[in-house]
Amino acid sequence: MAVDYAVIVLYLAGMLAMGWWGMRRAKSKSEFLVAGRRLGPAMYSGTMAAIVLGGASTIGGVGLGYQYGLSGAWMVFTIGIGLLALSIFFSARIARLKVYTVSEMLDLRYGGSAGIISGVVMWAYTLMLAVTSTIAYATIFDVLFGMDRTLSIVLGGVIVVAYSTLGGMWSITLTDMVQFVVKTIGVLLLLLPIAVVKAGGFAEMRDRLPDDYFAPLGIGGQTVFTYVLIYSFGMLIGQDIWQRVFTARGDKVARLGGTAAGTYCLVYAVAGAVIGTAAKVLYPHLGSPDDAFATIVKDALPVGVRGLVLAAALSAVMSTSSGALIACATVANNDIWSRVKGFVAARRAAPDGPDAGREPAEGPDAEAAGGSDEVRDNRLFILIMGIAVIVIAIALNNVVEALTLAYNVLVGGLLVPILGGLLWKRGTATGALASVAVGGVTVIGLMASLGVLANEPIYYGLLASLVTYVAVSLASKPTDPAVLTAWRARLAGEPAPEDDGTEEPAPSSAVHGA
């Protein structure tokens, strides 16, 4: 195992080194949060694939293959379908908006009154997504070192928080590229063929397992439909996914790079299910399907290769964890805290407020300080959110329930107002707010009464959200034509002020072919 340990330790050290390097590049808000909006197709597609294929897709995907056979691929497959739909139909428009968060998009579309509520919903989703990824460290470090669950979560969480806090999106992009390569080699090129050979090949697998293991819908048609609603639609609206779209250099990169990443997800889905099916042949009586990945890696792979494949699993967890963490911190700072600060400042600046008559600071010094302050503030929020994620991960045990809760609230509350804003010009701010409230409350209420893993909450939550959005929008005053004009201009990619009124130009040293 010494060689395996060395591979893992070198990998973790490399992640921290890239965080330090990324810190030197992240000098502005744009650089820190969206990598300066200048990723080329190779880096964009690699990092997008890394963010969506996390521990649930790797360890959980193999577990579903162990339990249901080839149809266990459907969960990850629907993630790929959602990413393909986002990339082909929406990514170009999203990239042209030049915003940092989904809530900023809603403010632009509806006139600045939908952001705070949607920000809270999105924050809850990204927080739970980061938590579920962080819990997965316990499984990997237990296999590697026999480490205590709490210590495993703290070790993995601290490394991710460290490199994310240091360099923001630049660090996360660089580490995600490494993680993408490691996952490709470890899971697709090594574990997949070795597992099939160890199981005796496909013919032996078919002879040893029931026919249901090779049926396309062996997992159940209703389950597949629920996966589509939760994961495919979740890909269309998640802050963690949109924040990666914002890093694209242009429309073409967002569309083609995302399409490549989505196609990669489809291949990864099938690979995970096949590995799980092979594990069922080799180890038919495991205590839990989620043990399949760790067991086949530990028992079936040679020294060195085992370390690389475990590093691949660690890569999957870290890529999703870091992406969710920076998304959570971005929403907390830009959509919630900044709005609260703005509200307080407006009250203080009122004619009878304590700061009445005080002139705001102006001049180049104030502008320079503002840029560095924004990076510092976002860095601080990543650190705070990271500590919160580690603490919550230690307290929770059920990863599937936490992930389902996150996606149900996200899709039930925000899918309709976001897609409605992009596709239906008659949608209004009042309709959007009512839709978020009704859809979110319906989903939470039904999960409380029927159980988190029930299918009905997302079905009825989406239906309630859609009916409310359409009915309230038609009954309320149409959106101000000036707001819609500005919105259409942003969708068309026409120049628009961002933050201080200018978009930072890409420096001549930018690697546009990355």
Side-chain angles (χ1 to χ4, degrees):
M1 285 292 288
V3 175
D4 297 327
Y5 292 162
V7 170
I8 298 297
V9 170
L10 285 173
Y11 169 77
L12 295 176
M15 297 300 98
L16 292 174
M18 289 185 180
W20 183 262
W21 186 89
M23 182 177 67
R24 301 174 61 185
R25 298 199 65 166
K27 301 298 185 184
S28 68
K29 180 179 179 180
S30 177
E31 294 283 350
F32 190 83
L33 294 182
V34 291
R37 306 188 195 275
R38 58 175 186 265
L39 294 191
M43 287 193 75
Y44 178 85
S45 59
T47 58
M48 183 62 88
I51 180 66
V52 300
L53 295 174
S57 299
T58 303
I59 299 171
V62 171
L64 287 172
Y66 182 89
Q67 188 172 3
Y68 297 105
L70 298 186
S71 66
W74 274 109
M75 184 186 78
V76 183
F77 206 84
T78 55
I79 290 174
I81 292 172
L83 185 54
L84 285 171
L86 173 73
S87 302
I88 294 170
F89 299 112
F90 299 107
S91 63
R93 283 190 270 182
I94 293 170
R96 286 196 294 264
L97 290 174
K98 293 291 190 288
V99 295
Y100 292 107
T101 68
V102 174
S103 295
E104 289 179 17
M105 167 262 168
L106 291 172
D107 277 350
L108 282 172
R109 168 59 180 83
Y110 294 113
S113 58
I116 185 66
I117 295 178
S118 63
V120 172
V121 173
M122 190 64 73
W123 173 78
Y125 155 73
T126 52
L127 179 71
M128 294 309 296
L129 186 62
V131 166
T132 57
S133 300
T134 303
I135 292 173
Y137 296 130
T139 301
I140 298 170
F141 283 114
D142 177 55
V143 174
L144 284 172
F145 308 115
M147 192 178 291
D148 174 74
R149 178 182 184 276
T150 298
L151 185 58
S152 299
I153 289 172
V154 170
L155 176 60
V158 164
I159 292 171
V160 169
V161 171
Y163 73 69
S164 301
T165 302
L166 286 173
M169 187 59 81
W170 268 122
S171 294
I172 292 171
T173 296
L174 293 171
T175 54
D176 276 358
M177 280 304 299
V178 174
Q179 290 158 357
F180 171 75
V181 172
V182 171
K183 276 193 290 193
T184 301
I185 296 173
V187 176
L188 297 185
L189 302 184
L190 292 176
L191 182 58
L192 174 61
I194 290 174
V196 172
V197 170
K198 289 279 186 180
F202 284 104
E204 179 70 13
M205 290 162 63
R206 289 193 69 94
D207 289 341
R208 297 274 299 274
L209 295 172
D211 290 341
D212 286 349
Y213 267 70
F214 302 91
L217 295 178
I219 197 171
Q222 187 180 41
T223 299
V224 174
F225 181 64
T226 303
Y227 283 162
V228 170
L229 288 183
I230 295 176
Y231 297 114
S232 295
F233 285 127
M235 289 296 105
L236 298 181
I237 60 175
Q239 169 66 26
D240 52 324
I241 310 302
W242 278 41
Q243 198 155 345
R244 295 310 172 100
V245 176
F246 300 151
T247 66
R249 191 173 65 219
D251 297 0
K252 189 175 181 181
V253 170
R255 186 181 297 110
L256 297 181
T259 301
T263 304
Y264 179 89
C265 290
L266 303 183
V267 175
Y268 201 87
V270 175
V274 171
I275 293 168
T277 305
K280 184 66 175 179
V281 172
L282 295 170
Y283 318 102
H285 304 298
L286 292 178
S288 168
D290 285 341
D291 293 337
F293 180 87
T295 302
I296 196 170
V297 168
K298 191 174 183 179
D299 293 348
L301 299 184
V303 173
V305 173
R306 181 169 51 213
L308 184 59
V309 173
L310 286 172
L314 198 56
S315 297
V317 175
M318 285 187 160
S319 58
T320 299
S321 182
S322 59
L325 178 58
I326 193 172
C328 178
T330 302
V331 171
N333 186 20
N334 292 270
D335 291 338
I336 300 175
W337 177 242
S338 64
R339 294 170 191 269
V340 172
K341 270 198 315 185
F343 176 76
V344 172
R347 292 291 300 270
R348 291 175 64 87
D352 57 348
D355 292 336
R358 180 178 296 178
E359 293 295 327
E362 296 180 356
D365 291 341
E367 292 178 7
S372 61
D373 285 350
E374 286 182 329
V375 174
R376 181 199 64 199
D377 289 348
N378 281 290
R379 192 170 273 140
L380 177 62
F381 267 85
I382 290 179
L383 179 60
I384 294 171
M385 292 298 109
I387 293 172
V389 163
I390 293 172
V391 171
I392 297 171
I394 292 171
L396 288 181
N397 285 314
N398 196 316
V399 180
V400 175
E401 286 196 0
L403 189 64
T404 303
L405 174 65
Y407 270 98
N408 277 355
V409 173
L410 172 73
V411 175
L414 291 181
L415 177 69
V416 170
I418 290 173
L419 294 188
L422 288 169
L423 301 173
W424 190 40
K425 66 179 181 180
R426 185 60 181 84
T428 66
T430 306
L433 289 171
S435 176
V436 172
V438 172
V441 169
T442 302
V443 165
I444 293 171
L446 288 175
M447 282 193 295
S449 62
L450 301 176
V452 173
L453 298 180
N455 292 323
E456 289 83 0
I458 191 61
Y459 297 166
Y460 293 115
L462 269 177
L463 180 61
S465 180
L466 176 61
V467 171
T468 301
Y469 180 72
V470 173
V472 175
S473 291
L474 291 175
S476 57
K477 182 180 178 181
T479 304
D480 187 340
V483 171
L484 289 178
T485 299
W487 165 252
R488 285 191 287 267
R490 292 291 282 265
L491 281 180
E494 297 175 8
E498 179 181 0
D499 297 324
D500 61 353
T502 59
E503 172 73 357
E504 296 171 14
S508 58
S509 60
V511 184
H512 289 302

